Every structure is written in C-alpha cells, then in structure tokens.
Amino acid sequence: MNSKTLNYAIVGLFSLLLVGCDSSNNETDDNNEEEDISIIEDETANSSDDVLISPISCNATYPIEFSEISNETATTSTAELAYIIDGDKTNKSSWASDDASQVLIAELNEAALIKEFVISWRTQSVSYYYDIDLSTDKENWINVIQTGQSEANYIIAKRIELEEKAQTAKYVRISLNGNSLNNQNNITEIEAFGCTKDTNHNIELIDWYLSVQTDEDDNGKSDSIKENDLDNGYFDPRFFYVSEDNGLVFSSTVQGFRTSTNTSYVRSELREMLRKGNTSYNTQGVNKNNWVFSTAPDSDLENAGGIDGTLDVEVAVNEVTSTGDDYQIGRVIIGQIHANDDEPVRLYYRKLPNNDKGSIYIAHERLEGDDTYYELIGSRSDNASNPANGIALDEKFSYQIKVVGHDLTVTITKDGGEVFTKLVDMSDSNYDQGGQYMYFKAGVYNQNNSGDIHDFVQATFYKIDNTH
C-alpha cells in the first residue's frame, strides 16, 4: 500500500470512530478532532503522487511560452540566456557561447503537446548543430531531434517539425554542438509550438487568399495560399495560425520573399477573393472576383462581383519592429483597399520604441497620383510623443473601412467605446473611370525592410467581415 492509500485509510478509520463517539463529547474535543483531520487531508493533497502529467491530445498549433531557461553545462556566463525565450528577435536580444557543447534546459509555463520548434540563429552564414529532447519530469528524456542542422544563409527561419515524435512535455533540452565554421553557438530566439487545448476561429476564409513570405515553389515570389486550401485549415506557426484565445494571428518578419518586384516589403496578408474558389473567374479585372465603386461606368457595375463595400475588423496589434531606419521603425499596415495598381486607402498602426501606445493613420492614394495622409489617433511622425488616446500593443480595437460612391470613411473604435472617424472625398481621385477594380486586404504588411532580419510585426484578428 502506497503512502497516499495509507493516508486515506487512516482518514476513513478516523471518521468511523467519530461517528461512533458519544454525542456528549465536549465542543473543545470536537474542534481538536476536526483540526486533526484537516492536517491529514493537507498532507495527502501535497503528496508527490499528484504531480504526474497526463498525455495531452489536441489538434491546434500555437506558441507555447517558456517560463525559464538554464545552462546545464555552466561553462559560460548565463547572464543573457533569458534573451532567447523573451519574444524579442532583434540582435540585441541574443545569447552566445564560444564552447561547442552546451546543454540548455527550458521550462514551459505549463505542460503542452509539443509539435514543432523554430530557432532563430544570430548568424545566418553558417549551419548550427543541435539535438532536442523532451521531458515531463526533467529526469526521463525522449529524443525528438537527433543531429539537427540549421540551414546556412537562410532568409526565413525553418520549421523543425516533430510529426509522429510530438510529445507531451514540461521541459525542453537543447544540446548545442557549435557550427560549420567554429565552436560558437549563437541564438536569437527559441520558439516552441503545440497546444494545451483545441482552438477555433469565427472568420470565414473561403473568400480570401493569403500571401506569406516563403517561396516553397521556388518562383522567386512569396507563396499564395488559395481560398480552398485556406478554408481547409492551412497554417504555418511562423506566419499564420489560430491563437490560444481563438483569433487568427498574422506575423511578418523584416526579410522574406515579396509578392512582386513592385513592392519593397514582406507581408502575411489576406487578399479578398469574391469568387470563393471558383477559378473560372480570373483574379484580376472587373469581374465577379472583384468589386467597383458605385461611381464606376454602368458596364463595370454590371460585370463586377460587388458595388461599394465595407470591411469590419476586430484586431489587436501584438508586435511592431524596433530596429532599422527611423522612418520605418514601428509601422505596419493592417488593412487596405487595393485597386489595379493604386491603393485608395491604407490603414497604418505605428508605435515607437519609447512609447507605450501607438498611433493610427491612413493614406489615400489618388489614381496614378500622390498619397495624402490623415491622422486619426496620435501622430505618424518619426519622433512622435506618446499619444494620450493611443492604442497599446495587445489592446483590442475595431476598425471599419467603408466606401459609398466618392465617400471613403475610416472609423476606429477603441475597446472602451471611444470613436475616431475620417471621411475622405474621392471626387477628384479618378477612380470613377472604367476598368478600376477593388479588393480589400487585411493582415500585417510589414513597413520595415531595414531592421534586423528576425525583427517582426504581428497582429491577432478576431473578426474580419467583408460586405458589398
């Protein structure tokens, strides 16, 4: 009989003795007996047998946070070791060791089913060597990656997928073995992905496709995930996944493959597709895949998939860049109307490193003309002061982009109900001429290409509704 069973037996016997006692026992004796029982129960509750971790079963894949990390080799300073699990992927937040063999053990905030990892290395010009083991108790380890090797000269950090080796774990052991040039180990960030529970989102994806910054088909441009694949559950934990709180997360690093040679920045962004997977309609053109302003010629109104439009979004911006050129730091586009070649509206969020709140502004581009900027919250300046009515990272807010004829209206609604609105008159913007088709975009379009390679922007979308 183990100690836990023995304790319960003692409690049960003690309870039977109490039932058989004479009711004339004094109150002091009754109180003492109740105190004795509570002590035995407390000792039982603290039994080490209760620490066992059961296997976790779930289908989602999202970031699993670490609580702490240690260097078991202890031959080098660990003062900066915490940098590699702090969520900051800039070069200033990294750790290095000149000794080839280093063993790091990271503890998760809670036990989780671990499915994959991403390791961002400080130096991309060499290949690093590593092994990964998982454990629930820090004593018994299961090897999931043996003689792993990173890719040299990579642009996007690779996924380290465990597949059938996915395990429930509370601890991750990373054994580092130097690189292809020397003994140095140099890491910017270690990320674990998996789940503690299943998640779901309420956003209809059949009328969107997704651009991400990878190039899996080697065509020199970013990959596009078409409507049906997106609707059938596509995800990539580096750029697009369902969060633990049931939102859709979009993330984009500074460097990556771009959608075309005409753009300078990378993105993880949805593009509206009214055809909903019906490939008999071309992506481009005035057709049933795109919409037009009601000021367009009658032939365009007849051929388009919609007339005028409204995009309603609930979102929280989670990360912005903190490195690079001053005019690029901290800015990201989170919503657009795109025309053939121009953009009737781009919606920006920008937070500077020394501010704890961000600003909101828009740009309106006249057809084949210049941009006009309008500030809704705070300033878009490179040295803007902290906006008193600004929006902090991780703070949920809503935006609406609406077009009726020549009227373009952008509305920001903060979580507390405060509303900011800008009406732009497009009478002189020339979008009323024939052949101009429109589509909404939503996600993160990183407006920084000069920062550290792993620096990134991220936002979680809880609602994306498009109507025409």
Side-chain angles (χ1 to χ4, degrees):
M1 181 181 295
N2 62 35
S3 60
K4 184 172 181 179
T5 305
L6 179 60
N7 281 340
Y8 278 126
I10 294 171
V11 173
L13 179 59
F14 205 3
S15 299
L16 289 173
L17 291 174
L18 287 175
V19 172
C21 287
D22 191 326
S23 60
S24 63
N25 287 344
N26 61 51
E27 184 177 351
T28 302
D29 289 340
D30 288 344
N31 288 340
N32 287 338
E33 289 165 350
E34 290 175 0
E35 288 173 3
D36 289 341
I37 293 173
S38 67
I39 291 171
I40 295 173
E41 289 174 340
D42 284 344
E43 291 174 351
T44 302
N46 291 330
S47 170
S48 60
D49 292 345
D50 294 336
V51 185
L52 296 176
I53 296 175
S54 300
I56 295 170
S57 177
C58 46
N59 295 315
T61 303
Y62 46 79
I64 304 298
E65 294 185 358
F66 293 104
S67 58
E68 59 182 346
I69 188 168
S70 61
N71 187 345
E72 299 301 300
T73 315
T75 59
T76 59
S77 171
T78 59
E80 297 176 341
L81 194 58
Y83 285 163
I84 67 176
I85 59 168
D86 66 354
D88 185 342
K89 299 182 187 180
T90 61
N91 290 342
K92 68 178 183 294
S93 178
S94 61
W95 167 85
S97 167
D98 291 329
D99 295 332
S101 299
Q102 299 291 300
V103 178
L104 312 180
I105 295 183
E107 182 177 356
L108 303 170
N109 278 349
E110 59 181 322
L113 176 60
I114 302 301
K115 300 181 178 181
E116 53 188 280
F117 295 91
V118 171
I119 302 178
S120 299
W121 304 94
R122 176 71 164 79
T123 303
Q124 288 81 48
S125 59
V126 296
S127 292
Y128 290 89
Y129 308 119
Y130 59 90
D131 300 292
I132 300 178
D133 304 283
L134 300 178
S135 174
T136 57
D137 57 9
K138 208 176 178 180
E139 294 180 4
N140 301 292
W141 295 92
I142 297 175
N143 178 255
V144 292
I145 297 293
Q146 187 173 18
T147 61
Q149 179 176 340
S150 71
E151 179 183 358
N153 299 311
Y154 70 82
I155 296 177
I156 302 297
K158 299 297 183 182
R159 298 167 68 177
I160 305 169
E161 300 179 78
L162 304 187
E163 298 176 342
E164 70 277 1
K165 291 186 176 181
Q167 297 284 335
T168 298
K170 185 70 164 61
Y171 302 92
V172 178
R173 184 171 67 190
I174 306 103
S175 301
L176 302 169
N177 302 300
N179 64 67
S180 55
L181 182 63
N182 53 45
N183 288 334
Q184 189 176 72
N185 299 295
N186 198 327
I187 297 177
T188 298
E189 195 75 14
I190 294 175
E191 300 170 271
F193 299 91
C195 55
T196 59
K197 62 179 182 180
D198 281 319
T199 58
N200 197 15
H201 66 85
N202 295 314
I203 297 172
E204 184 179 24
L205 291 174
I206 191 61
D207 54 351
W208 301 89
Y209 82 56
L210 175 70
S211 296
V212 293
Q213 58 260 45
T214 55
D215 179 24
E216 299 294 341
D217 56 7
D218 293 322
N219 68 354
K221 298 190 298 183
S222 66
D223 293 322
S224 295
I225 315 304
K226 296 301 177 65
E227 305 98 284
N228 289 322
D229 290 335
L230 196 59
D231 189 52
N232 287 333
Y234 165 86
F235 77 95
D236 186 323
R238 296 170 296 179
F239 317 121
F240 181 80
Y241 57 88
V242 183
S243 66
E244 196 169 0
D245 63 347
N246 300 312
L248 272 179
V249 178
F250 298 74
S251 182
S252 176
T253 47
V254 166
Q255 298 296 323
F257 291 92
R258 305 189 299 272
T259 54
S260 71
T261 56
N262 296 325
T263 182
S264 300
Y265 306 102
V266 298
R267 69 188 84 199
S268 172
E269 189 179 38
L270 295 175
R271 192 270 199 209
E272 188 179 28
M273 301 287 281
L274 297 182
R275 70 184 188 181
K276 297 187 176 182
N278 184 351
T279 55
S280 65
Y281 298 112
N282 291 329
T283 300
Q284 300 177 336
V286 178
N287 57 27
K288 298 305 178 183
N289 188 55
N290 303 306
W291 54 282
V292 298
F293 296 161
S294 56
T295 54
D298 289 343
S299 60
D300 285 359
L301 297 177
E302 182 178 346
N303 293 326
I307 299 171
D308 293 335
T310 303
L311 179 64
D312 285 302
V313 168
E314 183 182 12
V315 62
V317 178
N318 311 118
E319 298 286 345
V320 293
T321 57
S322 61
T323 61
D325 295 338
D326 287 346
Y327 77 98
Q328 295 184 353
I329 289 175
R331 65 180 190 172
V332 56
I333 293 173
I334 56 174
Q336 299 186 62
I337 296 176
H338 205 293
N340 306 26
D341 300 306
D342 304 287
E343 295 141 346
V345 67
R346 302 189 302 273
L347 176 62
Y348 290 79
Y349 174 92
R350 188 178 196 192
K351 191 193 79 67
L352 299 180
N354 293 328
N355 296 339
D356 59 15
K357 294 182 180 179
S359 302
I360 299 280
Y361 60 94
I362 63 172
H364 170 63
E365 183 180 21
R366 298 177 71 250
L367 184 64
E368 299 180 355
D370 296 329
D371 290 337
T372 303
Y373 289 90
Y374 303 91
E375 295 170 341
L376 281 81
I377 300 176
S379 168
R380 72 183 187 95
S381 169
D382 298 340
N383 55 6
S385 58
N386 194 47
N389 57 359
I391 297 174
L393 294 178
D394 297 323
E395 179 181 343
K396 287 184 182 180
F397 64 96
S398 298
Y399 73 74
Q400 182 185 82
I401 298 174
K402 184 175 183 178
V403 170
V404 179
H406 287 306
D407 291 340
L408 164 67
T409 306
V410 178
T411 303
I412 306 297
T413 305
K414 295 184 67 176
D415 197 37
E418 192 173 4
V419 177
F420 305 84
T421 301
K422 180 61 186 178
L423 172 63
V424 178
D425 182 358
M426 298 190 295
S427 299
D428 296 326
S429 299
N430 298 322
Y431 289 109
D432 50 4
Q433 62 181 265
Q436 289 296 312
Y437 58 92
M438 310 293 161
Y439 49 92
F440 285 122
K441 305 195 81 175
V444 292
Y445 184 16
N446 195 343
Q447 296 297 285
N448 188 334
N449 60 11
S450 60
D452 295 350
I453 186 172
H454 298 113
D455 204 358
F456 71 108
V457 294
Q458 179 177 299
T460 304
F461 287 70
Y462 299 92
K463 172 184 176 182
I464 305 175
D465 287 343
N466 53 319
T467 56
H468 301 282

